[in-house]
Amino acid sequence: MTDTSTLDRTDRPRVGGHTAASSLGLLALRLAAGALLLVHGVPKLSDPAGATGYAASLGVPVPDVAGWLVILGEVGLGALLVLGLLTRVAGALLVVQMLGVWLLAHAPQGFLVEGQVNGENALLFAALGLLLALTGAGRFSLDALVARRR
């Protein structure tokens, strides 16, 4: 008798609740989001004063800490997503960070500024973070490798 808890509707074996196809989709999503976060964050490492100054210009309390949290969030969470390591935690933290960015930097200007959408990147990153927090990384990740070794 086959254990149906490990099979999906087409009788393909599932690993960690994900089919190969859904895992490939999650891999593509993680790689794209993680790489884009790294592209945003790595240059800020060479000029952290730019990030902290921007935070100060927004009136964010303790702008030096806030600027570094943004930098470390973009670099650290980007790396975790690319690797598929601690993905649910990284996704949840990404939601918090990007909603904070949107609320502090974009929302005060409104959703449309001079006919252009304002802050859509932050909202999309928040949505991607929520998806990954809820689904996990999929089977093509360090999370899955660690789970298999337990």
Side-chain angles (χ1 to χ4, degrees):
M1 179 171 226
T2 302
D3 177 10
T4 57
S5 66
T6 62
L7 300 175
D8 67 9
R9 283 181 237 150
T10 58
D11 294 333
R12 290 180 300 207
R14 296 175 144 244
V15 174
H18 295 286
T19 65
S22 68
S23 290
L24 281 173
L26 290 169
L27 174 64
L29 179 74
R30 285 190 301 100
L31 292 176
L36 289 170
L37 284 169
L38 287 166
V39 167
H40 281 279
V42 169
K44 292 176 183 155
L45 287 171
S46 65
D47 181 25
T52 58
Y54 183 64
S57 75
L58 296 173
V60 174
V62 197
D64 290 340
V65 173
W68 273 104
L69 285 174
V70 168
I71 294 168
L72 295 175
E74 289 174 349
V75 174
L77 297 175
L80 288 173
L81 293 181
V82 166
L83 296 171
L85 182 63
L86 300 172
T87 304
R88 289 180 188 270
V89 172
L93 290 173
L94 185 58
V95 171
V96 171
Q97 179 173 348
M98 289 300 144
L99 288 179
V101 165
W102 188 79
L103 288 170
L104 292 171
H106 300 288
Q109 301 166 5
F111 193 67
L112 292 174
V113 175
E114 297 178 12
Q116 301 293 316
V117 176
N118 177 38
E120 71 273 18
N121 287 344
L123 293 174
L124 282 171
F125 274 120
L128 294 174
L130 180 60
L131 177 93
L132 291 169
L134 295 173
T135 64
R139 67 168 77 168
F140 307 118
S141 65
L142 289 179
D143 286 342
L145 181 65
V146 168
R148 283 192 294 266
R149 291 187 174 216
R150 286 184 187 165

